[in-house]
Amino acid sequence: MSALTTLPEWPPSLTPEQHEHLILLSSTYALSHGFTLLPPSSSQPPTSATAAPLSLIPTPFPRTLYNLAIELQPLYNALYARITLDWDFLDKVMGGSVSKVDSFQGELWRGWKSIRDDLVQPLQLGLFRSDYLLHHDDTENSKEGISIKQVEFNTIAASFGALSQRAGEMHRYLQKATNGYFSVSPHLTNPSNFPQNEPLRNLAAGLAEGWKAYGKKEAVILFVVQEGERNVFDQKWLEYELLESHGIPVIRHTFSELSKLAKIDPETKNLLLPSPLEPSVEAREVAVIYYRSAYTPDDYPTSKEWETRIHLEKSKAIKCPSMALQLSGAKKIQQVLSEPGILEDFLLNPSRPDVGFGEGAGDLTQDDIDKLRLTWIGLFPMDNSELGKKAYLQAINNSEKYVLKPQREGGGNNIYRENIPKFLKDLENQNHQPSSTPKEEDDEPDKKEGYILMELIEPPKGLKNWLVKGGENKARLADIVSELGVYGISLFGGNDNNQNHIINKTAGTLLRTKGRESDEGGVAIGISSIDSPLLVD
């Protein structure tokens, strides 16, 4: 499905006085409403905060494509839930060459494999985010116009839900406080162009559903967090929402702290956490483990962190995500899904487990599958299959059309365009370096098999916006690219005793906007701004 062939000229003209007034209103709104980040090298406890990077004006986004992305989210939720439950598929895809050449994914897969037959909690909780870019196919004879193409699907630590809600609220406030942004554009005077968006409320409700399914009112939710987290307010808003709207307390710990504190009852397998602040108080039982870390090798500096992750996995607590669900979000899974028949098998095969297809959904049809597949761009393996060999030649000879992706989350890991050929040559040189431990020749795949090749998505050109970097009192006018994320909630995997706990919902959106000159994003480091969509027809 495609939409407009062009977007409106943007942003509309502002007088210097109007511009200055919007800077003042947006910065004070952000600081007073917790639309904030901690500054770099913040003291503990923190004594200051900066406004999160933001856009002064919402960015135009085709209404039909925004609605399409929301419509498809339950299908994506169901797809990744079923992938997670298919151990043979995960073994084939992630337990093969990827686990041998990618040490991080290898540790994750081998750790999960070592304990999966003894897991005591069948329910799994996913707080997902499916990310898209607008794609404009301006090649000769193309009639596609502007469409959406999926960048990736996140199954762990899908962040910025709370701050995204604050961004939309800020833009609606500016619209009301300035008579529709001083009526400089008809798009800005219509309140219906500013979509209601509540991922904070919805994601917290998803965590609360996991807590309810666990079934113990005295239990808590554990947030596993990184040391020195700057994006702490995004997490804290979830914590406050859980306590104030659902009466559920949250405990925050790092892997380092959990290695000393976390205990599992040998009989019940309950996860118990004593309080370092109240040694005499009975340890709290954990209903849900929510990971806002554990997605990057930096979160596992030693074997102790892997031991802690596996220890938590063995408990009765519901994981968000489980190790299997984290594996399902790998880029290699995304690539294999694009192969013929794989998607149909996961979503149309009646023998697959019931994971729900969303409220009011009937039986899926091939039309549903085709609509989902239209959101994909070309994805190719980097192995020694015939398709992989063709992809390799394309990567070498036409690198300007591609991005090379490793099995990583968190941004900053991809190799773009003209950098690809040299990178692949360097990987080939590594293949021929002698190993310290002799292996059979065919036991060690090529290093490039840890990557996938993806066609570059080509966002529409000519769109600009005013972006304000956190902590600054000025905005820069930039040629922009905006990435739309759609949040989803999936509670699945129960046995016959808890099938009534199946949940599949869409949970809101995130729009991150950056200057076109940057391939990578990153809100905390100021490359991307948290934005909100202005729906246009």
Side-chain angles (χ1 to χ4, degrees), residues 91-146:
D91 283 348
K92 179 181 178 181
V93 178
M94 299 304 297
S97 58
V98 171
S99 68
K100 295 176 181 178
V101 299
D102 187 306
S103 58
F104 177 70
Q105 294 292 342
E107 286 282 357
L108 187 64
W109 176 74
R110 286 186 290 272
W112 168 64
K113 185 180 179 183
S114 71
I115 61 170
R116 65 191 186 188
D117 290 328
D118 300 316
L119 297 179
V120 295
Q121 177 54 262
L123 282 171
Q124 302 188 50
L125 178 62
L127 299 189
F128 302 139
R129 197 185 68 227
S130 184
D131 291 337
Y132 305 90
L133 288 172
L134 292 177
H135 177 66
H136 186 208
D137 186 351
D138 58 0
T139 56
E140 189 176 357
N141 299 323
S142 173
K143 298 180 181 179
E144 188 171 327
I146 299 174

Side-chain angles (χ1 to χ4, degrees), residues 142-433:
S142 173
K143 298 180 181 179
E144 188 171 327
I146 299 174
S147 58
I148 54 170
K149 299 297 182 184
Q150 188 184 58
V151 178
E152 62 185 2
F153 191 89
N154 302 275
T155 62
I156 182 169
S159 60
F160 292 117
L163 296 194
S164 175
Q165 182 168 321
R166 294 290 175 255
E169 291 166 349
M170 180 195 72
H171 285 139
R172 285 195 296 277
Y173 157 73
L174 293 175
Q175 196 268 348
K176 292 176 182 178
T178 62
N179 188 31
Y181 279 88
F182 314 108
S183 300
V184 294
S185 166
H187 296 292
L188 291 166
T189 58
N190 186 350
S192 68
N193 294 339
F194 295 71
Q196 291 293 319
N197 184 38
E198 296 184 315
L200 164 59
R201 182 178 67 84
N202 294 329
L203 293 173
L207 289 166
E209 291 289 355
W211 178 86
K212 292 175 188 176
Y214 188 81
K216 291 191 178 179
K217 292 184 178 180
E218 68 278 9
V220 302
I221 292 178
L222 167 66
F223 283 22
V224 183
V225 299
Q226 294 174 327
E227 300 273 2
E229 174 66 75
R230 288 191 63 205
N231 192 25
V232 65
F233 300 107
D234 186 56
Q235 300 171 15
K236 279 292 183 179
W237 277 118
L238 282 172
E239 179 182 331
Y240 303 150
E241 179 72 12
L242 282 165
L243 188 60
E244 294 167 8
S245 297
H246 303 278
I248 304 170
V250 167
I251 296 176
R252 293 170 58 89
H253 282 302
T254 64
F255 266 145
S256 176
E257 293 165 339
L258 289 168
S259 68
K260 303 179 183 71
L261 293 173
K263 309 294 181 185
I264 296 179
D265 184 290
E267 294 184 3
T268 64
K269 303 300 180 183
N270 295 339
L271 177 61
L272 305 174
L273 285 177
S275 171
L277 303 177
E278 299 177 284
S280 61
V281 174
E282 187 176 357
R284 306 295 297 271
E285 184 175 345
V286 175
V288 176
I289 305 170
Y290 174 48
Y291 287 100
R292 289 296 290 260
S293 65
Y295 57 86
T296 168
D298 293 341
D299 292 327
Y300 303 86
T302 70
S303 60
K304 193 68 177 176
E305 287 75 25
W306 282 113
E307 291 169 6
T308 302
R309 178 71 187 276
I310 290 173
H311 183 65
L312 298 176
E313 198 80 4
K314 292 178 180 178
S315 74
K316 191 178 176 183
I318 297 171
K319 291 81 184 177
C320 180
S322 67
M323 295 174 81
L325 186 50
Q326 183 175 345
L327 284 166
S328 298
K331 305 299 183 293
K332 183 61 181 177
I333 297 287
Q334 184 185 9
Q335 179 267 306
V336 171
L337 284 173
S338 69
E339 296 176 1
I342 302 295
L343 187 57
E344 283 80 359
D345 181 44
F346 274 109
L347 289 180
L348 297 181
N349 187 340
S351 67
R352 293 281 182 182
D354 180 13
V355 293
F357 290 114
E359 294 180 6
D363 294 334
L364 295 190
T365 67
Q366 186 63 47
D367 286 344
D368 296 315
I369 304 303
D370 293 342
K371 192 182 296 186
L372 190 150
R373 189 176 271 118
L374 283 174
T375 65
W376 294 349
I377 200 85
L379 293 159
F380 310 98
M382 292 303 291
D383 55 23
N384 292 317
S385 66
E386 287 304 311
L387 186 58
K389 291 175 182 177
K390 291 179 182 178
Y392 177 84
L393 291 176
Q394 286 295 312
I396 294 295
N397 298 323
N398 298 291
S399 61
E400 71 280 0
K401 298 180 180 180
Y402 296 97
V403 55
L404 193 66
K405 290 188 170 186
Q407 314 301 313
R408 290 289 180 275
E409 303 297 332
N413 301 296
N414 298 332
I415 301 92
Y416 290 88
R417 303 182 184 88
E418 67 275 4
N419 296 322
I420 295 175
K422 181 181 183 303
F423 186 85
L424 287 174
K425 294 296 184 183
D426 289 344
L427 286 183
E428 288 180 18
N429 291 335
Q430 293 178 35
N431 291 332
H432 298 103
Q433 291 179 358

